[in-house]
Amino acid sequence: MSDLIPLAQAHCLPRRGTEHKLSEARVRELLPEVPGWELVEGGHAISKTYGFANYYETMAFVNALAYVAHREDHHPDLGVHYNRCVVRFSTHDVGGLSENDFICAAKTEALKG
């Protein structure tokens, strides 16, 4: 991924192996590009909770996110509730965070926009 391309416009690439795991310094560079997302699980994942007015809006968001995840072939863990959805990204194949997690976090932000 080039730093010149906004995260929300980039696309995920297959990432396998620890060489694709982001350094702590790179994570700290990318985190400000996805406002409201936070490091969780000792820096192995990023997460954000999105609030909604009702279940219908929550499910509309979840379905839109499912479409984005399918297109990017990078899938979040979701906690779906009546008026909120907790979204968590991590790349299991690299043992932590990859650029794909930040790309998908940015695309998730664009959905809520």
Side-chain angles (χ1 to χ4, degrees), residues 22-103:
L22 295 178
S23 68
E24 186 176 327
R26 184 65 176 145
V27 169
R28 296 283 176 204
E29 288 175 9
L30 290 173
L31 203 54
E33 295 187 39
V34 286
W37 287 78
E38 60 184 1
L39 286 174
V40 295
E41 300 170 24
H44 285 87
I46 54 175
S47 180
K48 183 172 181 177
T49 300
Y50 291 88
F52 301 93
N54 55 50
Y55 191 70
Y56 174 80
E57 288 182 14
T58 303
M59 291 310 298
F61 171 80
V62 167
N63 286 326
L65 180 53
Y67 177 76
V68 170
H70 176 71
R71 280 189 38 215
E72 294 299 328
D73 195 25
H74 193 69
H75 306 90
D77 291 325
L78 302 175
V80 180
H81 308 273
Y82 175 80
N83 63 351
R84 70 188 186 287
C85 180
V86 181
V87 182
R88 177 196 165 275
F89 280 105
S90 182
T91 305
H92 303 288
D93 289 337
V94 305
L97 291 167
S98 74
E99 289 180 347
N100 290 346
D101 300 308
F102 288 91
I103 290 169

Side-chain angles (χ1 to χ4, degrees), residues 5 20 43 47 70 72 107 112:
I5 299 171
H20 296 291
S47 180
H70 176 71
E72 294 299 328
K107 289 179 182 292
K112 187 66 169 144

Side-chain angles (χ1 to χ4, degrees), residues 1-10 33:
M1 179 185 77
S2 168
D3 288 334
L4 300 176
I5 299 171
L7 285 171
Q9 293 176 13
E33 295 187 39

